[in-house]
Amino acid sequence: MTRTTLTPMSPLQQLRAGHTTRRLVQLFAGLALYGASMGMLIRAGLGLDPWDVFHYGIAQHLPVSFGTVTIIVGVAVLLLWIPLRQVPGLGTVANVVVIGLTTDATLALLERPSAMVLRVLLLVGGIVFNGLAGALYIGSQFGPGPRDGLMTGLVRRTGRSFRLVRTSIEVTVLVVGFALGGVVGIGTVLYAVLIGPTVQLFLPLFTVPLEAPADRRAVPVGAAESGL
């Protein structure tokens, strides 16, 4: 298993860790690509990842865009960080805003193809770009996204395993999203199977090496632990 070293840091330490220009470019490029890949998956119409099933389901019942829903949900999830004593970093806040805006921009530019082969290509391309995007912004080491922070906060507070907490969260949002009208299909299954290996393929290439603060220890991330 390939393992990538990520450096645990406070938000202030993240800003002072060096390689700032490269990390900022990588962060925002990754978030923009992540939003574009989400738009591709939506236009493919073959199924979304669990959180986007949830977002899509909510969007069916509100007079706002899909991207706006992702921003609203991101802010709501950040509020759940407060009792968990999680502190957001620059990447956390940027995640909430940039992904929603770029998803809407992609949806405005991209129409759903009529040919099934093109929809399949959109689906596969969306998953690959999503994995690449995740590696870019995770590797910039500016803090987790709101949903990842919720997972790690719950793990720390409850003492439960990452596997149990992540599965519980994603099954919950998937079921609720599907009940609200979210799109579940073969793409949902393919995303679940492929996104971890795809992120892990790219993560060693884009993780910016940083020196760990004296009071912290670098954490190796393997294929099973990586996520978005």
PDB file of all heavy atoms in Angstrom, residues 72-94:
ATOM      1  N   ILE A  72     -24.721  25.936   1.397  1.00  0.00           N
ATOM      2  CA  ILE A  72     -25.574  25.956   2.593  1.00  0.00           C
ATOM      3  C   ILE A  72     -25.288  24.754   3.486  1.00  0.00           C
ATOM      4  O   ILE A  72     -25.135  24.880   4.710  1.00  0.00           O
ATOM      5  CB  ILE A  72     -27.064  25.990   2.196  1.00  0.00           C
ATOM      6  CG1 ILE A  72     -27.402  27.324   1.508  1.00  0.00           C
ATOM      7  CG2 ILE A  72     -27.960  25.781   3.422  1.00  0.00           C
ATOM      8  CD1 ILE A  72     -28.784  27.358   0.885  1.00  0.00           C
ATOM      9  N   VAL A  73     -25.194  23.574   2.865  1.00  0.00           N
ATOM     10  CA  VAL A  73     -24.911  22.365   3.643  1.00  0.00           C
ATOM     11  C   VAL A  73     -23.518  22.443   4.255  1.00  0.00           C
ATOM     12  O   VAL A  73     -23.301  22.057   5.407  1.00  0.00           O
ATOM     13  CB  VAL A  73     -25.053  21.105   2.769  1.00  0.00           C
ATOM     14  CG1 VAL A  73     -24.566  19.861   3.514  1.00  0.00           C
ATOM     15  CG2 VAL A  73     -26.506  20.916   2.341  1.00  0.00           C
ATOM     16  N   GLY A  74     -22.547  22.973   3.498  1.00  0.00           N
ATOM     17  CA  GLY A  74     -21.193  23.114   4.025  1.00  0.00           C
ATOM     18  C   GLY A  74     -21.158  24.003   5.257  1.00  0.00           C
ATOM     19  O   GLY A  74     -20.485  23.692   6.246  1.00  0.00           O
ATOM     20  N   VAL A  75     -21.895  25.118   5.210  1.00  0.00           N
ATOM     21  CA  VAL A  75     -21.959  26.010   6.371  1.00  0.00           C
ATOM     22  C   VAL A  75     -22.630  25.299   7.548  1.00  0.00           C
ATOM     23  O   VAL A  75     -22.170  25.403   8.701  1.00  0.00           O
ATOM     24  CB  VAL A  75     -22.717  27.303   6.020  1.00  0.00           C
ATOM     25  CG1 VAL A  75     -22.968  28.141   7.264  1.00  0.00           C
ATOM     26  CG2 VAL A  75     -21.931  28.119   4.990  1.00  0.00           C
ATOM     27  N   ALA A  76     -23.705  24.558   7.262  1.00  0.00           N
ATOM     28  CA  ALA A  76     -24.401  23.834   8.335  1.00  0.00           C
ATOM     29  C   ALA A  76     -23.488  22.791   8.982  1.00  0.00           C
ATOM     30  O   ALA A  76     -23.481  22.621  10.212  1.00  0.00           O
ATOM     31  CB  ALA A  76     -25.656  23.157   7.770  1.00  0.00           C
ATOM     32  N   VAL A  77     -22.706  22.103   8.152  1.00  0.00           N
ATOM     33  CA  VAL A  77     -21.781  21.103   8.697  1.00  0.00           C
ATOM     34  C   VAL A  77     -20.704  21.785   9.545  1.00  0.00           C
ATOM     35  O   VAL A  77     -20.303  21.271  10.597  1.00  0.00           O
ATOM     36  CB  VAL A  77     -21.139  20.278   7.555  1.00  0.00           C
ATOM     37  CG1 VAL A  77     -20.021  19.391   8.089  1.00  0.00           C
ATOM     38  CG2 VAL A  77     -22.197  19.425   6.871  1.00  0.00           C
ATOM     39  N   LEU A  78     -20.247  22.950   9.100  1.00  0.00           N
ATOM     40  CA  LEU A  78     -19.249  23.683   9.884  1.00  0.00           C
ATOM     41  C   LEU A  78     -19.795  24.057  11.259  1.00  0.00           C
ATOM     42  O   LEU A  78     -19.049  24.068  12.247  1.00  0.00           O
ATOM     43  CB  LEU A  78     -18.813  24.944   9.153  1.00  0.00           C
ATOM     44  CG  LEU A  78     -17.697  24.786   8.113  1.00  0.00           C
ATOM     45  CD1 LEU A  78     -17.351  26.138   7.504  1.00  0.00           C
ATOM     46  CD2 LEU A  78     -16.463  24.145   8.721  1.00  0.00           C
ATOM     47  N   LEU A  79     -21.079  24.366  11.342  1.00  0.00           N
ATOM     48  CA  LEU A  79     -21.673  24.675  12.644  1.00  0.00           C
ATOM     49  C   LEU A  79     -21.615  23.464  13.574  1.00  0.00           C
ATOM     50  O   LEU A  79     -21.510  23.619  14.796  1.00  0.00           O
ATOM     51  CB  LEU A  79     -23.123  25.140  12.471  1.00  0.00           C
ATOM     52  CG  LEU A  79     -23.316  26.490  11.755  1.00  0.00           C
ATOM     53  CD1 LEU A  79     -24.796  26.792  11.576  1.00  0.00           C
ATOM     54  CD2 LEU A  79     -22.625  27.610  12.530  1.00  0.00           C
ATOM     55  N   LEU A  80     -21.665  22.266  12.986  1.00  0.00           N
ATOM     56  CA  LEU A  80     -21.556  21.047  13.798  1.00  0.00           C
ATOM     57  C   LEU A  80     -20.144  20.865  14.340  1.00  0.00           C
ATOM     58  O   LEU A  80     -19.932  20.069  15.262  1.00  0.00           O
ATOM     59  CB  LEU A  80     -21.967  19.825  12.974  1.00  0.00           C
ATOM     60  CG  LEU A  80     -23.428  19.777  12.506  1.00  0.00           C
ATOM     61  CD1 LEU A  80     -23.663  18.557  11.631  1.00  0.00           C
ATOM     62  CD2 LEU A  80     -24.369  19.766  13.700  1.00  0.00           C
ATOM     63  N   TRP A  81     -19.173  21.570  13.768  1.00  0.00           N
ATOM     64  CA  TRP A  81     -17.803  21.502  14.273  1.00  0.00           C
ATOM     65  C   TRP A  81     -17.686  22.135  15.664  1.00  0.00           C
ATOM     66  O   TRP A  81     -16.794  21.779  16.426  1.00  0.00           O
ATOM     67  CB  TRP A  81     -16.860  22.256  13.335  1.00  0.00           C
ATOM     68  CG  TRP A  81     -16.464  21.535  12.092  1.00  0.00           C
ATOM     69  CD1 TRP A  81     -17.212  20.661  11.360  1.00  0.00           C
ATOM     70  CD2 TRP A  81     -15.208  21.645  11.409  1.00  0.00           C
ATOM     71  NE1 TRP A  81     -16.518  20.237  10.257  1.00  0.00           N
ATOM     72  CE2 TRP A  81     -15.285  20.817  10.270  1.00  0.00           C
ATOM     73  CE3 TRP A  81     -14.058  22.372  11.643  1.00  0.00           C
ATOM     74  CZ2 TRP A  81     -14.231  20.691   9.374  1.00  0.00           C
ATOM     75  CZ3 TRP A  81     -12.998  22.254  10.753  1.00  0.00           C
ATOM     76  CH2 TRP A  81     -13.087  21.421   9.626  1.00  0.00           C
ATOM     77  N   ILE A  82     -18.584  23.080  15.965  1.00  0.00           N
ATOM     78  CA  ILE A  82     -18.440  23.840  17.211  1.00  0.00           C
ATOM     79  C   ILE A  82     -18.480  22.942  18.439  1.00  0.00           C
ATOM     80  O   ILE A  82     -17.554  22.973  19.263  1.00  0.00           O
ATOM     81  CB  ILE A  82     -19.508  24.950  17.293  1.00  0.00           C
ATOM     82  CG1 ILE A  82     -19.299  25.954  16.156  1.00  0.00           C
ATOM     83  CG2 ILE A  82     -19.452  25.649  18.658  1.00  0.00           C
ATOM     84  CD1 ILE A  82     -20.389  26.999  16.044  1.00  0.00           C
ATOM     85  N   PRO A  83     -19.520  22.088  18.603  1.00  0.00           N
ATOM     86  CA  PRO A  83     -19.502  21.208  19.784  1.00  0.00           C
ATOM     87  C   PRO A  83     -18.406  20.156  19.734  1.00  0.00           C
ATOM     88  O   PRO A  83     -18.035  19.588  20.767  1.00  0.00           O
ATOM     89  CB  PRO A  83     -20.897  20.558  19.768  1.00  0.00           C
ATOM     90  CG  PRO A  83     -21.352  20.664  18.361  1.00  0.00           C
ATOM     91  CD  PRO A  83     -20.769  21.939  17.846  1.00  0.00           C
ATOM     92  N   LEU A  84     -17.882  19.889  18.525  1.00  0.00           N
ATOM     93  CA  LEU A  84     -16.797  18.914  18.390  1.00  0.00           C
ATOM     94  C   LEU A  84     -15.428  19.550  18.623  1.00  0.00           C
ATOM     95  O   LEU A  84     -14.413  18.863  18.609  1.00  0.00           O
ATOM     96  CB  LEU A  84     -16.833  18.282  16.991  1.00  0.00           C
ATOM     97  CG  LEU A  84     -18.086  17.467  16.661  1.00  0.00           C
ATOM     98  CD1 LEU A  84     -18.047  17.012  15.203  1.00  0.00           C
ATOM     99  CD2 LEU A  84     -18.236  16.269  17.591  1.00  0.00           C
ATOM    100  N   ARG A  85     -15.413  20.875  18.802  1.00  0.00           N
ATOM    101  CA  ARG A  85     -14.185  21.633  19.043  1.00  0.00           C
ATOM    102  C   ARG A  85     -13.188  21.490  17.902  1.00  0.00           C
ATOM    103  O   ARG A  85     -11.972  21.419  18.108  1.00  0.00           O
ATOM    104  CB  ARG A  85     -13.555  21.221  20.374  1.00  0.00           C
ATOM    105  CG  ARG A  85     -14.448  21.510  21.573  1.00  0.00           C
ATOM    106  CD  ARG A  85     -13.783  21.125  22.874  1.00  0.00           C
ATOM    107  NE  ARG A  85     -14.681  21.394  24.012  1.00  0.00           N
ATOM    108  CZ  ARG A  85     -14.393  21.107  25.280  1.00  0.00           C
ATOM    109  NH1 ARG A  85     -13.217  20.544  25.577  1.00  0.00           N
ATOM    110  NH2 ARG A  85     -15.246  21.374  26.239  1.00  0.00           N
ATOM    111  N   GLN A  86     -13.735  21.463  16.684  1.00  0.00           N
ATOM    112  CA  GLN A  86     -12.900  21.467  15.489  1.00  0.00           C
ATOM    113  C   GLN A  86     -12.665  22.916  15.068  1.00  0.00           C
ATOM    114  O   GLN A  86     -13.567  23.752  15.167  1.00  0.00           O
ATOM    115  CB  GLN A  86     -13.607  20.721  14.348  1.00  0.00           C
ATOM    116  CG  GLN A  86     -13.764  19.226  14.581  1.00  0.00           C
ATOM    117  CD  GLN A  86     -12.512  18.490  14.193  1.00  0.00           C
ATOM    118  OE1 GLN A  86     -11.661  18.200  15.037  1.00  0.00           O
ATOM    119  NE2 GLN A  86     -12.371  18.162  12.928  1.00  0.00           N
ATOM    120  N   VAL A  87     -11.469  23.207  14.571  1.00  0.00           N
ATOM    121  CA  VAL A  87     -11.130  24.558  14.134  1.00  0.00           C
ATOM    122  C   VAL A  87     -10.879  24.536  12.624  1.00  0.00           C
ATOM    123  O   VAL A  87      -9.997  23.821  12.160  1.00  0.00           O
ATOM    124  CB  VAL A  87      -9.879  25.084  14.864  1.00  0.00           C
ATOM    125  CG1 VAL A  87      -9.559  26.511  14.400  1.00  0.00           C
ATOM    126  CG2 VAL A  87     -10.085  25.044  16.373  1.00  0.00           C
ATOM    127  N   PRO A  88     -11.653  25.302  11.840  1.00  0.00           N
ATOM    128  CA  PRO A  88     -11.473  25.273  10.382  1.00  0.00           C
ATOM    129  C   PRO A  88     -10.214  25.995   9.941  1.00  0.00           C
ATOM    130  O   PRO A  88      -9.793  26.980  10.554  1.00  0.00           O
ATOM    131  CB  PRO A  88     -12.722  26.005   9.869  1.00  0.00           C
ATOM    132  CG  PRO A  88     -13.114  26.911  10.982  1.00  0.00           C
ATOM    133  CD  PRO A  88     -12.756  26.182  12.251  1.00  0.00           C
ATOM    134  N   GLY A  89      -9.609  25.495   8.868  1.00  0.00           N
ATOM    135  CA  GLY A  89      -8.467  26.151   8.255  1.00  0.00           C
ATOM    136  C   GLY A  89      -8.895  26.901   7.003  1.00  0.00           C
ATOM    137  O   GLY A  89     -10.076  26.913   6.633  1.00  0.00           O
ATOM    138  N   LEU A  90      -7.929  27.511   6.327  1.00  0.00           N
ATOM    139  CA  LEU A  90      -8.214  28.232   5.090  1.00  0.00           C
ATOM    140  C   LEU A  90      -8.870  27.305   4.061  1.00  0.00           C
ATOM    141  O   LEU A  90      -9.838  27.682   3.391  1.00  0.00           O
ATOM    142  CB  LEU A  90      -6.924  28.816   4.520  1.00  0.00           C
ATOM    143  CG  LEU A  90      -7.026  29.443   3.132  1.00  0.00           C
ATOM    144  CD1 LEU A  90      -7.963  30.643   3.144  1.00  0.00           C
ATOM    145  CD2 LEU A  90      -5.644  29.842   2.614  1.00  0.00           C
ATOM    146  N   GLY A  91      -8.337  26.092   3.936  1.00  0.00           N
ATOM    147  CA  GLY A  91      -8.880  25.144   2.975  1.00  0.00           C
ATOM    148  C   GLY A  91     -10.313  24.754   3.293  1.00  0.00           C
ATOM    149  O   GLY A  91     -11.104  24.495   2.386  1.00  0.00           O
ATOM    150  N   THR A  92     -10.650  24.724   4.564  1.00  0.00           N
ATOM    151  CA  THR A  92     -12.009  24.371   4.976  1.00  0.00           C
ATOM    152  C   THR A  92     -13.005  25.416   4.490  1.00  0.00           C
ATOM    153  O   THR A  92     -14.046  25.090   3.910  1.00  0.00           O
ATOM    154  CB  THR A  92     -12.095  24.269   6.513  1.00  0.00           C
ATOM    155  OG1 THR A  92     -11.040  23.435   6.989  1.00  0.00           O
ATOM    156  CG2 THR A  92     -13.424  23.702   6.941  1.00  0.00           C
ATOM    157  N   VAL A  93     -12.679  26.684   4.745  1.00  0.00           N
ATOM    158  CA  VAL A  93     -13.571  27.775   4.344  1.00  0.00           C
ATOM    159  C   VAL A  93     -13.639  27.890   2.823  1.00  0.00           C
ATOM    160  O   VAL A  93     -14.724  28.053   2.238  1.00  0.00           O
ATOM    161  CB  VAL A  93     -13.097  29.103   4.960  1.00  0.00           C
ATOM    162  CG1 VAL A  93     -13.981  30.254   4.501  1.00  0.00           C
ATOM    163  CG2 VAL A  93     -13.086  29.013   6.481  1.00  0.00           C
ATOM    164  N   ALA A  94     -12.491  27.796   2.156  1.00  0.00           N
ATOM    165  CA  ALA A  94     -12.468  27.866   0.695  1.00  0.00           C
ATOM    166  C   ALA A  94     -13.268  26.731   0.082  1.00  0.00           C
ATOM    167  O   ALA A  94     -13.949  26.908  -0.943  1.00  0.00           O
ATOM    168  CB  ALA A  94     -11.017  27.829   0.198  1.00  0.00           C
TER     169      ALA A  94
END
